[in-house]
Amino acid sequence: MFLQGVMLVEVRAVLLTGGYVCGREAIKEQEKQGKEKDVNKICSIVLAVALVASLGLVTATPVIAQNEIINVPGDHSTIQEAIDAASDGDPIMVAAGLYMENVVIDKSLTLEGAQAGVDARGRSGDETIIEADEDAIGISIVTVAGRVVVIDGLTVRKALHAISTPEPAMADSITVKNVRVLNSGDFGISLTFTREVTVEYCYVEGGRYGINAGAVIPFDPTVATFRNNEVVNVKYGITGYLKDSLIEGNLVWCNVEDKEVTEGDGIRGQFHDTQVKNNVLRGYVDGAGMSFAPGSHRHDSSNVTVQGNAFTDNLYGIYVFPEQPELKGITVSFNDIFGNSWRGLRNDGPLALDATKNWWGDGSGPGGVGPGAGDAVSGETEVLYSPWLRAELGTEPLTWGVDPTGLIQDAIDAAGPGDAIIVAEGEYHENLDIEKSLVLQSVDGAEATTIVGSVSMELAAEIVFFGGAASGFTIDADGGDFAVWLSIDNGSELSLTESILTGAMAGITTSPDGLLTNSRLTIKYNRIYENDHGIYLESVAGDSAVLINFNNIAGSANYGLYVEDSAVTIDAADNWWGDPSGPSGGVADPVSGRIAGGSGDAVSENARFDPWLTAPLYTLKISSSPGGSVTAPGESTFIYAPGTQVDLAVTPEAGYQFDRWIGNVDTIANVKGVATTITMYGNYSITARFNRAECFIATAAYGTDTATEIDILREFRDVILLPSGVGARFISLYYETSPAIAGFIFEHHVLGVVVRVGFIDPIVAILNWSEHLWSGRGS
């Protein structure tokens, strides 16, 4: 560009000079011959030609691309001889082969090897190889203002520094692409003193630093693009002091089986206004996938987006050093962070770190200060982790997790159409706005998860499931206008189930200004109580279907259900209205003609209410002791209509056996049944109790676990063995190995007799004889 500018100045000078000369000669000619018009015409043509030439120079290809190509070894036998002979901007093309030399680039040029334009990652074919002394620099770039260097398609190996910029002055631009760096001693590609750097499609293996840019103070940070590189078995994979930069699509990893390098960091440095995207960082089993680390006189980072990366099999996925004076605008979102042995993320910096919307390896969320079983988050300073992803990136639709350290609305805003949001137990003080298709459910049901506020749903051709099987919410409007406000149109579908709606002017309403047109609304198994209106529908229009069934609607100050205007009949049969006599209101059922003359909550016209429930919906709370789980219907709080028969089933864990159902068991068909039923005539709470499947071999030998001989074996275990470290280890080993032995004994009755008579009976006899020696100590 500099040469281009000089040429443009020269052209302009020619134009000015040419114009002056033409004008002067024309005047002379006029004076001599009187032909002024002809002379002016000639000068105008000359000026036009010169102007076109000037514009052509301004828009022409840069001069560097027009220079003569220098070939090695065709024109010069060594790369260095070619560089020494070249002028600024010359391209040098080096044929495949081994070049045992240290190369110094001291001018702007392009250096191309035999693999120019070919991605260095996994390529094959003839290579241009530069092999320097092990204590020297393979390619040294002398940096000065205005210098532009491109290196493409070659290999540098065994140098102390493969490609480096040792001079403390800033070059304008250096690009390294399609380059292999093998077994450098210290730096692989280190473009320190450079204003703009691009390193892409390179392969770097071995050394202390893989790819690096950015100088120490007083120099400004470098603008870098590190893209689509692979860095293998390097202590610090990608490092730098960067601004306005992009680190994208790189694979940085350590193969711990083949290499001793396991400490260090995949990406490490100080970054400002930088994006770190779609990289894979793994295998730093004694280090971090990425760290915000202090450097020489540089400590802070700001406005960094860490997104779409995979941090796996490291000691730390991400680590923020405590020396960071501030950490402004850092977001770590939409990453896979899992399988890191110590922490997925540790923040010892001075400010809270936004690490929401990540996958931590388990749907329950991160561990540590988080609620789940995924990679731990911790540190001296807060880590914001909620909402999180409940499945790895790329899963469609996504599932989101939220706990009370975050906001449900943040998950709603981040979710895509059709995503699911699963909310952990707790209390959430917020108002929700839903305007997209999604599933919104709680982990432990309405009794455990409360929204203090309201939920507004404005849908147009969307599908929303709010609540579900034992996964609804309590929405406490706390005296507000509504618990749930609806405006659903254009073929939308909304299912609102198993929730508690209370404390509002209207539990569910379309007022004011809401629509219910050409859509389907299902309201089932909810408890809607202590509102001014339970349900208030201002208008139902078009080809809509409204199903309001199997709800408890009671304690409403005005109407349990009020439909101001409707083009269709609302199906509100099979609800509990607060009294066995049914709803009040005095209106006739539009189907049966029966009058709403009961003592329950009032109903209005436009709604079918007959038949109704003569008892309220009942809740069934199911839990289990350690040692197993309830697989049907699950472990939560469920809602059933009166008289419903519910199937129950349990699954013991290894080493445990089901004992019995405890709690409200009067209507359970078989309290010791692993598969049985319970009939709902009230609100019940039951627990599946499990015991260790103890004394496996003795049980098999005697044919029952109630044999009196087994009692003394259990007592000796509890009194003598378990309090002892050696004894406890023996018992643990016994529980692991004996079930298989016991199973074999059960299948071979004769063997059971042999084991009992020849082995267990003598032990029981000894314990009975010596009981006075050890049993007292136990008591």
Tab-separated table of all heavy atoms in Angstrom, residues 405-427:
chain	number	residue	atom	x	y	z
A	405	THR	N	-30.752	-19.820	42.826
A	405	THR	CA	-29.679	-18.837	42.639
A	405	THR	C	-29.825	-18.097	41.319
A	405	THR	O	-29.112	-17.116	41.081
A	405	THR	CB	-28.308	-19.514	42.690
A	405	THR	OG1	-28.163	-20.406	41.576
A	405	THR	CG2	-28.126	-20.280	43.994
A	406	GLY	N	-30.706	-18.570	40.444
A	406	GLY	CA	-30.933	-17.919	39.163
A	406	GLY	C	-32.398	-17.595	38.961
A	406	GLY	O	-33.221	-17.743	39.869
A	407	LEU	N	-32.737	-17.166	37.765
A	407	LEU	CA	-34.108	-16.786	37.428
A	407	LEU	C	-34.673	-17.743	36.386
A	407	LEU	O	-33.993	-18.095	35.402
A	407	LEU	CB	-34.155	-15.366	36.880
A	407	LEU	CG	-33.759	-14.241	37.843
A	407	LEU	CD1	-33.729	-12.902	37.105
A	407	LEU	CD2	-34.728	-14.177	39.018
A	408	ILE	N	-35.918	-18.134	36.589
A	408	ILE	CA	-36.609	-18.950	35.588
A	408	ILE	C	-36.715	-18.175	34.270
A	408	ILE	O	-36.583	-18.738	33.193
A	408	ILE	CB	-37.994	-19.361	36.090
A	408	ILE	CG1	-37.887	-20.135	37.405
A	408	ILE	CG2	-38.728	-20.188	35.040
A	408	ILE	CD1	-39.217	-20.413	38.075
A	409	GLN	N	-36.951	-16.865	34.368
A	409	GLN	CA	-37.115	-16.059	33.158
A	409	GLN	C	-35.854	-16.073	32.314
A	409	GLN	O	-35.923	-16.032	31.079
A	409	GLN	CB	-37.493	-14.622	33.517
A	409	GLN	CG	-37.863	-13.767	32.311
A	409	GLN	CD	-39.118	-14.282	31.598
A	409	GLN	OE1	-40.127	-14.539	32.219
A	409	GLN	NE2	-39.039	-14.421	30.274
A	410	ASP	N	-34.674	-16.132	32.937
A	410	ASP	CA	-33.438	-16.204	32.161
A	410	ASP	C	-33.417	-17.464	31.303
A	410	ASP	O	-32.962	-17.442	30.155
A	410	ASP	CB	-32.223	-16.185	33.094
A	410	ASP	CG	-31.964	-14.804	33.668
A	410	ASP	OD1	-32.565	-13.838	33.177
A	410	ASP	OD2	-31.158	-14.704	34.618
A	411	ALA	N	-33.895	-18.566	31.865
A	411	ALA	CA	-33.959	-19.806	31.086
A	411	ALA	C	-34.982	-19.694	29.965
A	411	ALA	O	-34.750	-20.163	28.843
A	411	ALA	CB	-34.288	-20.978	31.996
A	412	ILE	N	-36.127	-19.078	30.245
A	412	ILE	CA	-37.149	-18.888	29.211
A	412	ILE	C	-36.592	-18.053	28.064
A	412	ILE	O	-36.784	-18.374	26.888
A	412	ILE	CB	-38.399	-18.230	29.816
A	412	ILE	CG1	-39.077	-19.181	30.812
A	412	ILE	CG2	-39.376	-17.813	28.721
A	412	ILE	CD1	-40.193	-18.540	31.611
A	413	ASP	N	-35.900	-16.979	28.398
A	413	ASP	CA	-35.344	-16.103	27.361
A	413	ASP	C	-34.290	-16.815	26.527
A	413	ASP	O	-34.183	-16.604	25.319
A	413	ASP	CB	-34.746	-14.851	28.001
A	413	ASP	CG	-35.792	-13.958	28.649
A	413	ASP	OD1	-36.980	-14.115	28.319
A	413	ASP	OD2	-35.423	-13.127	29.501
A	414	ALA	N	-33.487	-17.662	27.177
A	414	ALA	CA	-32.409	-18.346	26.459
A	414	ALA	C	-32.899	-19.548	25.662
A	414	ALA	O	-32.263	-19.943	24.685
A	414	ALA	CB	-31.337	-18.796	27.446
A	415	ALA	N	-34.014	-20.116	26.065
A	415	ALA	CA	-34.501	-21.351	25.437
A	415	ALA	C	-34.948	-21.105	24.007
A	415	ALA	O	-35.441	-20.033	23.653
A	415	ALA	CB	-35.652	-21.932	26.249
A	416	GLY	N	-34.774	-22.141	23.194
A	416	GLY	CA	-35.317	-22.114	21.854
A	416	GLY	C	-36.717	-22.702	21.835
A	416	GLY	O	-37.143	-23.352	22.797
A	417	PRO	N	-37.464	-22.505	20.768
A	417	PRO	CA	-38.813	-23.087	20.681
A	417	PRO	C	-38.765	-24.594	20.861
A	417	PRO	O	-37.964	-25.288	20.241
A	417	PRO	CB	-39.263	-22.701	19.268
A	417	PRO	CG	-38.435	-21.500	18.917
A	417	PRO	CD	-37.117	-21.714	19.579
A	418	GLY	N	-39.615	-25.102	21.747
A	418	GLY	CA	-39.678	-26.527	21.998
A	418	GLY	C	-38.755	-27.030	23.083
A	418	GLY	O	-38.802	-28.209	23.437
A	419	ASP	N	-37.902	-26.176	23.632
A	419	ASP	CA	-37.023	-26.589	24.723
A	419	ASP	C	-37.824	-26.848	25.988
A	419	ASP	O	-38.961	-26.380	26.142
A	419	ASP	CB	-35.967	-25.511	25.006
A	419	ASP	CG	-34.877	-25.477	23.947
A	419	ASP	OD1	-34.925	-26.311	23.024
A	419	ASP	OD2	-33.985	-24.616	24.036
A	420	ALA	N	-37.215	-27.577	26.914
A	420	ALA	CA	-37.827	-27.859	28.213
A	420	ALA	C	-37.020	-27.183	29.310
A	420	ALA	O	-35.786	-27.132	29.251
A	420	ALA	CB	-37.893	-29.364	28.463
A	421	ILE	N	-37.719	-26.678	30.323
A	421	ILE	CA	-37.090	-26.036	31.480
A	421	ILE	C	-37.553	-26.778	32.721
A	421	ILE	O	-38.752	-26.890	32.978
A	421	ILE	CB	-37.469	-24.551	31.564
A	421	ILE	CG1	-37.003	-23.812	30.300
A	421	ILE	CG2	-36.870	-23.911	32.812
A	421	ILE	CD1	-37.531	-22.402	30.190
A	422	ILE	N	-36.595	-27.305	33.476
A	422	ILE	CA	-36.881	-28.073	34.683
A	422	ILE	C	-36.386	-27.265	35.875
A	422	ILE	O	-35.196	-26.973	35.979
A	422	ILE	CB	-36.204	-29.452	34.650
A	422	ILE	CG1	-36.492	-30.159	33.314
A	422	ILE	CG2	-36.661	-30.291	35.819
A	422	ILE	CD1	-37.943	-30.419	33.034
A	423	VAL	N	-37.288	-26.922	36.783
A	423	VAL	CA	-36.999	-25.992	37.870
A	423	VAL	C	-36.832	-26.759	39.175
A	423	VAL	O	-37.678	-27.575	39.546
A	423	VAL	CB	-38.123	-24.952	37.991
A	423	VAL	CG1	-37.820	-23.946	39.093
A	423	VAL	CG2	-38.319	-24.237	36.650
A	424	ALA	N	-35.745	-26.483	39.888
A	424	ALA	CA	-35.454	-27.169	41.141
A	424	ALA	C	-36.331	-26.641	42.265
A	424	ALA	O	-36.934	-25.561	42.180
A	424	ALA	CB	-33.980	-26.997	41.505
A	425	GLU	N	-36.382	-27.406	43.327
A	425	GLU	CA	-37.138	-27.029	44.512
A	425	GLU	C	-36.682	-25.669	45.035
A	425	GLU	O	-35.515	-25.331	45.011
A	425	GLU	CB	-36.923	-28.096	45.589
A	425	GLU	CG	-37.581	-27.780	46.922
A	425	GLU	CD	-37.297	-28.857	47.958
A	425	GLU	OE1	-36.743	-29.916	47.588
A	425	GLU	OE2	-37.640	-28.642	49.130
A	426	GLY	N	-37.646	-24.881	45.504
A	426	GLY	CA	-37.306	-23.587	46.083
A	426	GLY	C	-38.365	-22.548	45.804
A	426	GLY	O	-39.418	-22.838	45.223
A	427	GLU	N	-38.073	-21.330	46.197
A	427	GLU	CA	-39.004	-20.213	46.041
A	427	GLU	C	-38.394	-19.188	45.099
A	427	GLU	O	-37.256	-18.758	45.268
A	427	GLU	CB	-39.291	-19.585	47.404
A	427	GLU	CG	-40.439	-18.599	47.400
A	427	GLU	CD	-40.864	-18.198	48.800
A	427	GLU	OE1	-41.611	-18.973	49.437
A	427	GLU	OE2	-40.427	-17.119	49.259
